[in-house]
Amino acid sequence: MPETVESPKPADTPEDHTPVVVFDHVSIQFDRNPVLRDISFTVDRGQTLIVLGPAGCGKSVLMKLANGLLRPDSGTISVFGERIDNLPDRDLFKIRSRIGMVFQESALFDSLSVEDNIAYRLHEERMPESEAHDKVVEALHFVDLDHAIDKFPSELSGGMRRRVSIARAIISDPDLILYDSPTGGLDPITSTTIIELVVKQRDESHATSLVITHRLQDAFLIARNRFNPEANKMEEIPDGGIDDTTRFLVLNEGRVVFHGNTLELVHTEDPFLKDFIS
Amino acid sequence: MPVAATESFAKNTVAAIQEYSLLAGRAVANMFSPPIYWADIFTQMDSIGVGSLPIVILTGFFTGCVLALQSETALQEFGAVSRTGSLVALSMVKELGPVLTALMVSGRNASGMASELGSMKVTEQIDAMRALGTDPTRKLVTPRLVATVFMLFFLTIISDAVGIAGGALVSVAMLNLNATAYIHSSYASLAYGNIVEGLTKAIFSGFIIATVGCFYGMRTQGGTQGVGKATTQAVVVSSVFIIVVDFLTSRLMISIFGS
């Protein structure tokens, strides 16, 4: 039976037990169609929550709720200990400065170069140009796209766009990263590259993250792998180990049908879940 | 069923008016608080103002030409062909210059704004902007509003000028009028109120073009088909609004300055 492996923690991380994300009885509907119903869960600091579920079950809506891009019809949402479901947009911007988000279709700004896309937040914060450039170079190096700095989004492949989107999300070292189907629409090899970046970011920055995916193999790759900085690549945790910070949330028809760790998911007796993960 | 459909239509209409009013109000309020995106304002001025210059010049010039040509028949009946300059100048400055310029700019730019913002909406770029800490109204709508109002004002002046010049060309070359008499007649007939009326219309039209174009762009739904629909709606609605507001402004100005 595989064992959970404790992830290395950064030495200077102060102990803070406030959950980073809290959903409490959250519901939302569009045009009288309920999309999420009575959703409750918490994500603790340093955790990676993988959100699974069939297409159209409300995963992306959940992600937008977590970033304040949508407001729930009922229930409360707290991020970094602060309620965001009733905050005006102006106050949300301060909280969003601590959140990085990777969108389903990358959502890069067509009219801006890769450098300007990645540095967008830094430019908004009026960071000096040379300092912003250095950070962009560093972020592009992280996603292994050093050569693409002067390109425009239209010149990039789907996988490259997704990597630029990850670079844009991590440029300001966010405390929470939201990945909305980072591998959606990509071929298996490119998907693995993207998952490797998610694992690398998890193990190097220890940021809390929510990862939406509809591909089980991606979810289990995140749970069963770690990033080896010496080899600069992802590798399986020895002895079939499982990363202890990775948890799963499974949605179906707008409701939470599972919230727990990898082992609990694998050994579930729930017929829907057994069918879903088989 | 028809009752439910009527109720739904009424609710959607009221919601759209509310949404439009809030967007327009926020776009105006953003002009008076930082940050103001000057680079975006200048980019839009270049795109909307300089970019529209050729069509505005051509439209204004040929409108002035045709106005002089058509008015000859009517004026001849009263032996007032020498008043052609006056007729062209008043028509251009009070009515045709502002309205035709606004309609041309609307066709070119309200559609452009709706399609550009609509594409950004359906590809989640507007959500990405919000996620990156930027208010899309401040970044996208306010610069377009400022640029359109400012540039349409000057485009209207240019259109008036080339329209009067076009009328002069036709009057001199085809109607055998005296150039000095034409210019004198044009200049003498224009009163302060006429110019204020024309330029007030330009300001209102600029506001309509930018707010309607951005409104339809920002509420686009449903992929590329939605972008096409938003573009069409933006042009149709802004054009109708321009004509309606033109009438209302004319009535207001007549009550202020007289005929």
Side-chain angles (χ1 to χ4, degrees):
Chain A
M1 185 169 167
E3 288 182 6
T4 54
V5 176
E6 198 172 324
S7 278
K9 302 282 186 297
D12 56 348
T13 304
E15 284 298 321
D16 182 353
H17 298 294
T18 313
V20 175
V21 180
V22 180
F23 273 57
D24 188 19
H25 299 290
V26 171
S27 298
I28 187 170
Q29 60 177 19
F30 296 116
D31 298 329
R32 295 180 184 171
N33 296 319
V35 176
L36 292 178
R37 290 184 258 202
D38 202 28
I39 301 285
S40 296
F41 67 89
T42 60
V43 186
D44 292 328
R45 182 173 292 271
Q47 248 181 22
T48 297
L49 182 72
I50 298 173
V51 184
L52 287 167
C57 69
K59 301 188 294 291
S60 293
V61 170
L62 183 139
M63 204 62 104
K64 286 183 178 174
L65 285 167
N67 204 0
L69 296 173
L70 292 173
R71 288 177 199 281
D73 296 329
S74 62
T76 62
I77 301 168
S78 302
V79 176
F80 305 123
E82 197 167 345
R83 285 239 343 235
I84 63 162
D85 53 277
N86 54 3
L87 272 187
D89 248 17
R90 180 175 281 272
D91 297 328
L92 271 172
F93 291 145
K94 195 178 157 197
I95 291 175
R96 286 188 191 133
S97 68
R98 297 177 63 191
I99 304 174
M101 187 159 181
V102 178
F103 283 83
Q104 204 165 5
E105 297 293 335
S106 307
L108 299 179
F109 303 123
D110 298 329
S111 55
L112 301 182
S113 67
V114 165
E115 175 164 17
D116 289 337
N117 260 288
I118 296 173
Y120 187 87
R121 176 171 272 170
L122 308 179
H123 289 155
E124 286 290 295
E125 291 167 359
R126 303 278 185 266
M127 182 180 277
E129 194 54 47
S130 60
E131 204 179 324
H133 176 77
D134 291 345
K135 289 193 83 112
V136 170
V137 170
E138 194 184 324
L140 276 174
H141 184 69
F142 181 89
V143 297
D144 198 20
L145 268 183
D146 308 66
H147 59 284
I149 191 162
D150 293 323
K151 290 185 185 296
F152 278 81
S154 57
E155 299 173 87
L156 305 176
S157 67
M160 289 166 85
R161 288 167 72 95
R162 219 57 66 88
R163 282 193 276 167
V164 171
S165 183
I166 291 174
R168 184 173 69 177
I170 63 169
I171 188 82
S172 55
D173 300 318
D175 298 314
L176 170 65
I177 307 177
L178 308 173
Y179 299 93
D180 186 355
S181 304
T183 60
L186 300 178
D187 61 84
I189 295 171
T190 313
S191 293
T192 306
T193 312
I194 299 298
I195 291 301
E196 188 171 46
L197 288 173
V198 173
V199 171
K200 185 179 178 184
Q201 177 64 17
R202 178 193 71 192
D203 293 349
E204 289 195 347
S205 78
H206 304 280
T208 311
S209 54
L210 269 72
V211 185
I212 286 181
T213 182
H214 59 278
R215 285 163 50 98
L216 274 169
Q217 59 267 49
D218 289 346
F220 288 119
L221 261 182
I222 294 171
R224 289 174 174 157
N225 283 270
R226 68 183 181 191
F227 190 75
N228 181 341
E230 280 83 37
N232 194 32
K233 65 175 185 181
M234 182 171 72
E235 63 182 18
E236 276 197 9
I237 297 172
D239 305 322
I242 295 165
D243 180 76
D244 70 331
T245 63
T246 303
R247 292 178 71 79
F248 287 82
L249 183 81
V250 184
L251 298 178
N252 185 33
E253 293 179 353
R255 293 184 193 277
V256 174
V257 292
F258 176 83
H259 184 208
N261 64 29
T262 316
L263 289 177
E264 287 165 348
L265 178 65
V266 171
H267 296 107
T268 182
E269 291 301 321
D270 184 278
F272 168 78
L273 288 173
K274 280 179 97 168
D275 186 45
F276 185 72
I277 63 174
S278 61
Chain B
M1 184 66 185
V3 175
T6 311
E7 185 192 336
S8 168
F9 174 77
K11 278 183 181 172
N12 288 340
T13 307
V14 171
I17 292 169
Q18 176 185 304
E19 211 179 315
Y20 171 78
S21 307
L22 285 171
L23 180 80
R26 277 203 298 266
V28 172
N30 287 340
M31 290 180 213
F32 305 103
S33 64
I36 293 172
Y37 294 95
W38 290 108
D40 293 274
I41 291 175
F42 291 128
T43 305
Q44 291 302 323
M45 280 181 174
D46 180 47
S47 165
I48 295 163
V50 180
S52 303
L53 204 52
I55 57 165
V56 166
I57 288 175
L58 283 170
T59 313
F61 181 80
F62 285 106
T63 303
C65 289
V66 80
L67 206 55
L69 204 57
Q70 296 283 21
S71 60
E72 190 220 5
T73 323
L75 291 174
Q76 216 164 29
E77 280 187 36
F78 303 102
V81 180
S82 61
R83 303 292 296 163
T84 305
S86 169
L87 189 142
V88 172
L90 279 173
S91 304
M92 284 305 299
V93 170
K94 286 179 73 173
E95 195 60 47
L96 293 175
V99 173
L100 287 179
T101 305
L103 290 175
M104 296 310 287
V105 172
S106 165
R108 183 179 180 275
N109 296 297
S111 57
M113 289 174 206
S115 61
E116 190 180 354
L117 269 55
S119 301
M120 289 183 76
K121 180 81 193 303
V122 299
T123 55
E124 292 188 309
Q125 289 179 53
I126 292 191
D127 276 343
M129 200 171 266
R130 290 173 67 205
L132 289 165
T134 302
D135 175 2
T137 310
R138 190 179 283 279
K139 172 84 176 166
L140 300 171
V141 182
T142 302
R144 283 165 174 78
L145 175 61
V146 174
T148 311
V149 170
F150 189 81
M151 297 311 276
L152 193 63
F153 185 87
F154 291 102
L155 286 172
T156 302
I157 293 173
I158 292 169
S159 174
D160 292 347
V162 294
I164 294 169
L169 186 74
V170 168
S171 301
V172 173
M174 299 173 78
L175 309 179
N176 298 317
L177 289 178
N178 181 288
T180 314
Y182 176 92
I183 290 165
H184 178 75
S185 162
S186 304
Y187 183 75
S189 61
L190 286 176
Y192 172 74
N194 305 138
I195 294 165
V196 171
E197 181 178 340
L199 295 181
T200 305
K201 287 177 181 176
I203 291 170
F204 284 137
S205 298
F207 182 85
I208 290 167
I209 292 166
T211 51
V212 171
C214 292
F215 170 70
Y216 279 106
M218 297 285 271
R219 73 195 305 250
T220 303
Q221 287 178 328
T224 47
Q225 199 181 11
V227 175
K229 194 177 163 193
T231 307
T232 310
Q233 283 177 320
V235 176
V236 171
V237 172
S238 63
S239 301
V240 172
F241 272 19
I242 285 165
I243 306 283
V244 172
V245 171
D246 172 55
F247 168 73
L248 296 174
T249 313
S250 297
R251 185 67 198 86
L252 179 72
M253 290 297 161
I254 287 169
S255 66
I256 295 173
F257 295 108
S259 61

